[in-house]
Amino acid sequence: MSGEVVIWLVVIALGLAVGSFMNVLIYRLPRRESIRRPRSRCTTCGRQLRWYHNIPVVSWIVLRGKCAFCHAPISAVYPIVELATAAMFVIFFARYGPTVTTLGFWYLSTTLVAVFFIDLRHQIIPNR
């Protein structure tokens, strides 16, 4: 595998991982819950998820969008956030390369993703 392919895979994996963390923020911040503890859990049954239930996008597909324990549906928003974040990481890296500008756009875009999805669900962002 060429070095360039490895770099792109790292950018994609980083985008997916950051998107997964954005899902934690999107769910917990409006509820004023800690983003550190407890570990990820099913929002229906409350069971703590195993590490392999948290692999971005892949776990959602393997579990067919359902909790591994209680089989309650898992919102499609989770993989959408992860894929959208990864796509933005790829787009900005393709445009600006490994620069501080890329890091700035990554930070701004992930913040906006979190704000968008929090507002979509809770409608707490002021319109004025």
Side-chain angles (χ1 to χ4, degrees):
M1 198 175 326
S2 74
E4 189 172 323
V5 170
V6 171
I7 290 171
W8 286 108
L9 290 175
V10 168
V11 169
I12 292 167
L14 182 61
L16 289 170
V18 170
S20 182
F21 181 67
M22 287 295 104
N23 279 321
V24 171
L25 296 178
I26 290 164
Y27 182 80
R28 294 184 183 190
L29 285 179
R31 292 169 176 78
R32 299 185 186 273
E33 295 179 9
S34 170
I35 60 172
R36 289 188 55 226
R37 301 224 187 271
R39 288 181 35 203
S40 295
R41 62 196 182 281
C42 173
T43 58
T44 302
C45 69
R47 297 250 334 244
Q48 185 174 311
L49 301 178
R50 297 192 174 104
W51 68 268
Y52 50 85
H53 296 145
N54 280 321
I55 300 169
V57 181
V58 174
S59 294
W60 191 85
I61 292 169
V62 168
L63 294 170
R64 296 185 185 129
K66 296 181 181 180
C67 172
F69 305 110
C70 70
H71 307 289
I74 300 170
S75 173
V77 167
Y78 290 100
I80 290 169
V81 168
E82 293 162 355
L83 290 169
T85 304
M88 288 185 294
F89 272 44
V90 166
I91 289 165
F92 291 126
F93 190 80
R95 174 67 175 93
Y96 300 105
T99 64
V100 174
T101 302
T102 299
L103 292 176
F105 277 116
W106 284 356
Y107 178 78
L108 177 63
S109 63
T110 55
T111 301
L112 291 174
V113 164
V115 169
F116 174 80
F117 281 99
I118 288 170
D119 193 48
L120 187 65
R121 178 172 290 158
H122 299 281
Q123 298 182 354
I124 58 177
I125 308 300
N127 290 332
R128 293 179 187 216

